[in-house]
Amino acid sequence: MYRTHTCGELRISDVNKQVTLAGWVQRSRKMGGMTFIDLRDRYGITQLVFNEEVNADLCEQANHLGREYVIQVKGTVNERYSKNANMPTGDIEIIVSELSVLNTAQTPPFTIEDNTDGGDDIRMKYRYLDLRRNAVRKNLELRHKMTIEVRKYLDSQGFIEVETPLLIGSTPEGARDFVVPSRMNPGQFYALPQSPQTLKQLLMVSGFDRYFQIAKCFRDEDLRADRQPEFTQIDCEMSFVEQDDVINLFEGMAKYLFKELRGVELTEPFQRMPWSEAMKYYGSDKPDLRFGMKFVELMDILKGHGFSVFDNAAYIGGICAEGAAHYTRKQLDALTEFVKKPQIGAKGMVYARVEADGNVKSSVDKFYSQDVLQKMKEAFGAKPGDLILILSGDDAMKTRKQLCELRLEMGNQLGLRDKNKFALLWVVDFPMFEWSDEENRLMAMHHPFTHPKDEDIPLLDTNPEAVRADAYDMVCNGVELGGGSIRIHDAQLQAKMFEILGFTPEKAQEQFGFLMNAFKFGAPPHGGLAYGLDRWVSILAGLDSIRDCIAFPKNNSGRDVMLDAPGCLDQKQLDELHLIVDIKE
């Protein structure tokens, strides 16, 4: 038997027990004739004691143990003289009588501690060592608990877990596919699924009624903090439902998960915000509502007073940061440089302080009377001590997105984005289509199987860009946790959708004929939702990146630096797959 107890298990009630422990050497300390070893496993840390006066050979053996050696010890549980209140096992120690080295270890490239000295790159290269750290392991334990609670909740609601294939056909809509060459079908390729979308719809045609799957999904797109090339969805679909049915069930699931995993009780119904309102007042389809700073449009107040930047603008808008009038000129200049970054793209920023006497002091005072500035103050509901920040531009949507970045930056600087505060909402009534300059055609904002709002269906023939989708996203703290829609279940309406998206009937049949043909055999009205498991865990754990809750993630270039993937294939493999690699510089 390698162990009778784990390293996080023993307490003061176990004093005088004979025990066997096994684990990794966390650290070693020599004090006079005593050697102390902290032994670590997944469950915790226990202090081991070796006494030179009692057993000099054993103590000498302990003095040669290096960090991360794998050892087994036998000994007696003893009450510690100097207790450690910061450790669950801090009241006890093990007086060691036997020591076995199960495996030696090289000195690790970084310390295996919560506050490690390893940077991101080195920790990703040695991820198997990084996973030994308590801070990282806790994230994966939370992920494990979440998947169990998800299954419990969905099972209680009548859902059946069904696995769908990972080798499917490529679809042209959405992100780029990852493709897999077929050796048995030369010149042909599978795609890895971006989501189980069409397959879960087929399960509804099959009469499964309520399906779910904790599904691996793959998208070849540019990476950021909340994106990985492979990620995990809690994917769900329901038959005979309308939008409210789906939203209510999965709002219930969100409340259940917050209560079970964070002990947070969410009692109020989540706000539902139309997409148009989210963009108008927050410049984002995933607004962070933990704080205010709602956009105020200022065209009627600030246009036409001789300040050409505003006079020539198609949009003027601003935010009011409460109590931030103390910002120095240096801080305001830094904010101006922030919005002028290439990834944001604003040309500049105007600011105005509300003084203690109520007057407004602006960076463009010479163009505006105090009467005009007071009207601006009233539009914001600003008070003495507040700071107003204004952006303008010749494209309203683009400028709102720039203002969104400024709002989030101010939220960060003022400490308003508390990771222990949760603001959840549904964003609804998305546009059905968006124009793609690259493709020079309308594209589905979500996917081509989304059902339009019933009242907007007549607009498909006359004004498709005005059509709203029967779609919904759940947002928490500025992160899209998941989204879904009611699906099209009528073959004629689906054909119409493909026509608007630029598919010929032949192309639509080639790509999606299996789904359209299935609809002819009696498809029920259906809809669903997919939660991002990685994003959910990162929100609940208070992480800045989903990478920290994935066991073996990719870096920002989509590389697995531990496995050194992707890599080249040797010529024999290429020949078997009938592939010629021609990389042009």
Side-chain angles (χ1 to χ4, degrees):
M1 182 183 294
Y2 278 113
R3 60 187 179 185
T4 58
H5 299 78
T6 69
C7 294
E9 184 178 350
L10 296 168
R11 299 292 187 270
I12 196 75
S13 58
D14 297 304
V15 166
N16 295 326
K17 278 186 181 177
Q18 298 297 307
V19 299
T20 303
L21 301 183
W24 288 262
V25 173
Q26 176 77 16
R27 64 178 66 86
S28 175
R29 305 180 302 283
K30 186 170 176 59
M31 300 173 64
M34 308 281 284
T35 297
F36 299 91
I37 301 287
D38 285 348
L39 188 67
R40 183 196 75 242
D41 64 9
R42 169 187 149 192
Y43 307 96
I45 293 176
T46 297
Q47 179 172 281
L48 311 179
V49 180
F50 299 83
N51 191 329
E52 194 174 77
E53 292 183 5
V54 174
N55 190 329
D57 289 342
L58 189 63
C59 194
E60 180 64 18
Q61 190 180 355
N63 289 336
H64 287 88
L65 296 175
R67 278 195 296 151
E68 301 305 309
Y69 274 40
V70 185
I71 65 172
Q72 179 194 51
V73 296
K74 294 182 180 179
T76 306
V77 181
N78 184 57
E79 183 175 0
R80 280 176 69 160
Y81 173 74
S82 178
K83 294 181 173 60
N84 184 345
N86 297 319
M87 288 171 56
T89 61
D91 290 344
I92 60 95
E93 60 194 7
I94 308 300
I95 307 300
V96 178
S97 57
E98 293 182 37
L99 167 64
S100 298
V101 176
L102 303 177
N103 217 328
T104 60
Q106 295 180 17
T107 302
F110 54 87
T111 55
I112 312 298
E113 295 181 0
D114 285 359
N115 296 316
T116 183
D117 56 359
D120 283 351
D121 290 343
I122 195 77
R123 290 192 298 107
M124 289 304 103
K125 184 175 181 179
Y126 297 94
R127 183 62 167 176
Y128 48 86
L129 297 180
D130 197 38
L131 291 171
R132 292 181 185 176
R133 295 170 54 229
N134 183 57
V136 180
R137 189 187 64 251
K138 279 168 58 179
N139 296 334
L140 295 182
E141 289 173 347
L142 176 62
R143 186 185 182 107
H144 161 72
K145 290 175 184 175
M146 180 164 175
T147 58
I148 287 177
E149 295 302 334
V150 164
R151 286 187 164 99
K152 281 169 59 178
Y153 179 85
L154 292 174
D155 180 64
S156 74
Q157 299 294 323
F159 283 77
I160 298 173
E161 185 169 9
V162 182
E163 293 181 358
T164 54
L166 291 182
L167 295 175
I168 63 169
S170 180
T171 55
E173 297 293 304
R176 295 182 186 90
D177 287 327
F178 284 102
V179 295
V180 180
S182 170
R183 178 185 59 81
M184 293 183 288
N185 300 276
Q188 296 184 311
F189 296 81
Y190 300 105
L192 301 179
Q194 296 185 28
S195 80
Q197 180 63 50
T198 54
L199 293 162
K200 66 183 179 184
Q201 289 190 258
L202 289 176
L203 287 170
M204 295 303 101
V205 176
S206 302
F208 272 71
D209 193 69
R210 291 190 172 197
Y211 138 95
F212 86 96
Q213 181 183 186
I214 298 179
K216 274 287 186 186
C217 303
F218 306 85
R219 292 178 189 171
D220 186 3
E221 55 190 355
D222 295 335
L223 304 187
R224 57 191 187 205
D226 62 353
R227 275 188 188 163
Q228 280 276 295
E230 55 180 309
F231 57 97
T232 306
Q233 284 184 351
I234 305 165
D235 196 57
C236 308
E237 198 78 1
M238 307 161 68
S239 291
F240 305 110
V241 290
E242 297 177 336
Q243 184 182 108
D244 280 353
D245 300 312
V246 180
I247 284 180
N248 290 337
L249 190 141
F250 288 99
E251 184 170 313
M253 180 174 167
K255 291 176 177 178
Y256 173 82
L257 292 172
F258 268 99
K259 183 176 181 181
E260 294 298 320
L261 300 174
R262 278 296 301 259
V264 173
E265 193 100 34
L266 302 172
T267 56
E268 296 296 317
F270 297 171
Q271 179 181 350
R272 298 189 190 182
M273 182 182 293
W275 176 88
S276 57
E277 185 178 316
M279 298 306 298
K280 180 177 181 180
Y281 294 118
Y282 300 98
S284 170
D285 58 5
K286 47 186 179 188
D288 188 344
L289 300 187
R290 284 174 291 181
F291 62 102
M293 295 193 215
K294 197 172 178 180
F295 296 178
V296 173
E297 294 189 10
L298 301 165
M299 297 285 286
D300 293 343
I301 297 172
L302 297 182
K303 209 171 171 71
H305 293 274
F307 182 45
S308 61
V309 172
F310 285 172
D311 290 348
N312 297 325
Y315 174 85
I316 309 168
I319 56 174
C320 178
E322 288 187 28
H326 63 274
Y327 265 46
T328 64
R329 180 60 185 267
K330 184 178 180 181
Q331 287 174 299
L332 292 167
D333 287 346
L335 282 175
T336 302
E337 291 307 308
F338 171 79
V339 299
K340 290 167 70 174
K341 286 181 178 179
Q343 61 267 38
I344 297 175
K347 293 181 179 178
M349 182 187 78
V350 170
Y351 64 87
R353 295 187 181 93
V354 183
E355 309 279 279
D357 60 5
N359 283 332
V360 179
K361 180 71 175 170
S362 166
S363 57
V364 288
D365 272 347
K366 67 179 180 179
F367 296 103
Y368 295 98
S369 67
Q370 192 60 216
D371 286 344
V372 173
L373 295 175
Q374 287 295 321
K375 287 179 183 176
M376 179 185 73
K377 182 182 82 170
E378 290 168 12
F380 283 100
K383 307 180 296 298
D386 290 351
L387 177 68
I388 294 168
L389 303 173
I390 304 166
L391 298 182
S392 65
D394 53 13
D395 183 307
M397 189 64 76
K398 183 178 177 181
T399 308
R400 287 190 184 106
K401 290 179 180 179
Q402 294 163 350
L403 196 54
C404 170
E405 295 297 328
L406 178 60
R407 174 180 179 268
L408 295 177
E409 177 63 18
M410 288 304 296
N412 287 332
Q413 292 191 14
L414 298 174
L416 301 175
R417 304 184 76 188
D418 183 353
K419 290 180 181 178
N420 292 311
K421 181 179 179 182
F422 303 101
L424 291 104
L425 74 150
W426 292 98
V427 177
V428 297
D429 297 348
F430 284 83
M432 190 77 193
F433 306 102
E434 57 186 345
W435 182 260
S436 169
D437 290 329
E438 184 180 343
E439 296 276 340
N440 196 34
R441 66 179 177 93
L442 288 175
M443 303 278 283
M445 180 170 272
H446 281 77
H447 52 68
F449 317 108
T450 301
H451 198 284
K453 302 285 277 188
D454 286 334
E455 59 269 33
D456 290 355
I457 289 178
L459 295 173
L460 289 171
D461 291 315
T462 59
N463 187 13
E465 292 186 62
V467 174
R468 295 166 300 158
D470 208 348
Y472 33 83
D473 281 358
M474 180 184 280
V475 176
C476 178
N477 296 359
V479 174
E480 178 197 327
L481 287 181
S485 68
I486 299 302
R487 322 300 186 191
I488 296 170
H489 65 279
D490 175 79
Q492 287 185 319
L493 181 58
Q494 188 64 74
K496 181 69 177 176
M497 197 63 58
F498 287 140
E499 179 187 334
I500 293 171
L501 292 170
F503 286 75
T504 63
E506 294 75 22
K507 190 68 174 176
Q509 185 65 32
E510 177 189 334
Q511 294 284 347
F512 301 108
F514 65 93
L515 182 65
M516 297 166 72
N517 292 336
F519 285 172
K520 297 173 184 176
F521 291 94
H526 58 283
L529 174 143
Y531 277 141
L533 176 63
D534 315 289
R535 293 183 184 181
W536 257 104
V537 177
S538 67
I539 283 283
L540 292 171
L543 303 173
D544 294 321
S545 168
I546 65 170
R547 200 167 67 179
D548 295 325
C549 64
I550 297 172
F552 299 103
K554 309 292 188 291
N555 68 10
N556 290 337
S557 301
R559 292 198 65 82
D560 185 326
V561 293
M562 183 184 71
L563 300 176
D564 196 23
C568 298
L569 299 181
D570 62 36
Q571 192 59 48
K572 181 181 178 183
Q573 287 175 289
L574 292 172
D575 292 343
E576 286 179 337
L577 295 168
H578 303 275
L579 293 179
I580 297 173
V581 177
D582 182 16
I583 301 175
K584 293 181 172 61
E585 295 296 334

